[in-house]
Amino acid sequence: MKIRLITLSVLFLSLAYLAFLIRDLHFLSIPKSNPKETIYLSLEMKRREVERAIDLLKEDKTEEAIIFLKDERLSNNVFAKFYLGLIYFETGKEKEGLELIAGAIREEQVLYDGYYPDNVRRILNKISEKITGREEFKNYRHLIDSKLKGGCG
Amino acid sequence: MKENLIFIFTALLIGLFGALLSVWGNPINTGICISCFMENFSGALRLHNNMLMQYIRPEMIFIVIGSFVSAVVRREFITRYSASIIHSFLGGIFMIIGSAVFIGCPIKMLLKLAGGDLNSLAGIIGTIFGVWLAVRLLREDIDTSLFKTVIKRNDRSSIIIPLSVIFLISLYFLKGELFAESVSGAGAEKSPVIYAISVGLIIGIFSQYSRFCVTGSIRNSIILRKTTGFMALLALVLSALIVNAIFERLKFGVIGQPGSHTEYLWSFISMTLVGYIAVIIDGCPFRQLVKMGEGDVNAFVCFLGMLIGGAFVQNFKILSDSSGPTLMGKIGVFSGILIFSFLSYNLILKNEKN
């Protein structure tokens, strides 16, 4: 009887104290981590590293852009990989180009995510249109279209 | 007859709401996918660091709560367990790994088909084969003592399970900052909370009542040679297909399907593993949630396994993307096959010794 009373008392006391602590938790200020900032900043830094190459591409200076993008210091830059792939694709080395593009979008999902303002969705859509009906590139088209539609995986 | 109709009606509801949740904001063809939800859940608890897969899906939590409410009302809430704890825990881990390599749990597999994704057919065949293999094993003269359920009628200790879930979701609504939440990627694609809660509750209640399970439906069709299970799965696919057609989301084909790859052999093998495990531990990932709400301790252990599995899958990339499975994904699936072959062999061996 005594042990029953003690156990029940502990139960109700801990319940009451827990409710009290949760009320405190409600008023506690917890800085909400913002993954948006983390993703955006890391991606934006990488994009800025290759901005010169993107400008060169706009001026049709593909040779110079290739030299820029092949710099060893950019070996871990997903944008460098993507734009190098794009140049190869546009200049006839389609398979090589698509391989690099596929590698880039597999590596960094946010690259084509609608929320990132400097994403490469528009370019990917164009590439997909260009390879539609090309049997040898159907796996790349599947990858690009599937990724653009979103969802898990 | 009434039970069969409710069973089929539950499947119809899952298909209907599964497709609608995608229309309302969940990732495409992922209105209900317990493996994806578990990966989101372990991310929200900061067990993995993929910032695109972190969210406490209210649908999943309210499936458990709906099942709990139904079980209490129908006086079916009982503490029950069997000695096969290790099967349940490892089963939870490897069902998530198998599903991640296929990209979807058995329910999502059917929802993908209803969205026109014909790649999922390889997974469906794999699941049927896995269930058939497990049924063959169970028909053999094996030692089933491990799976014998112990029912404790006067023991209410398993009420801790649904209460923990209720506590967790209350904490989430009270202080969401405690948990990680994606702002981009699949984890950020979500239905309005009120829709998610309502759907979770409705499905949880009906599934507790009907005992609906995708792999269970296939198993019963094989064992009992009755068409109810098959009809239920057909109802699930058809209702989702109609919703997808109405909202112009139906596109038949194999190329460019969302959250899907064309490595059919791996889809087949990974879902064979999921189907096999689901029969051995008595329920697909969805059914485990419902059983957890009824006070089943093994289902809770399986849930913990799925939670760990969700973290493993994302931390070590034991999964697939649209280009197919990763090397770690292939290793994960064959580790599961190896472990469950060993456990199955042990059942046969034990009986021979007995």
Side-chain angles (χ1 to χ4, degrees), chain A residues 85-104:
Chain A
L86 182 65
I87 295 171
Y88 285 158
F89 178 75
E90 299 282 6
T91 53
K93 292 178 185 170
E94 290 173 318
K95 171 100 176 130
E96 210 173 324
L98 285 170
E99 196 58 42
L100 281 170
I101 290 167

Side-chain angles (χ1 to χ4, degrees), chain A residues 28 106 113 115 142 146 149 152, chain B residues 175 184 256-257 260 322-323:
Chain A
L28 186 72
R106 285 188 69 187
D113 192 304
Y115 115 96
H142 170 73
S146 179
K149 283 177 185 163
C152 296
Chain B
K175 204 72 183 167
S184 174
Q257 292 291 348
S260 181
S322 306
S323 56

Side-chain angles (χ1 to χ4, degrees), chain B residues 217-236:
Chain B
S217 301
I218 300 170
R219 182 198 59 197
N220 291 349
S221 299
I222 293 172
I223 295 177
L224 306 172
R225 302 206 179 272
K226 281 187 179 175
T227 53
T228 311
F230 173 74
M231 296 287 278
L233 299 184
L234 194 66
L236 192 158

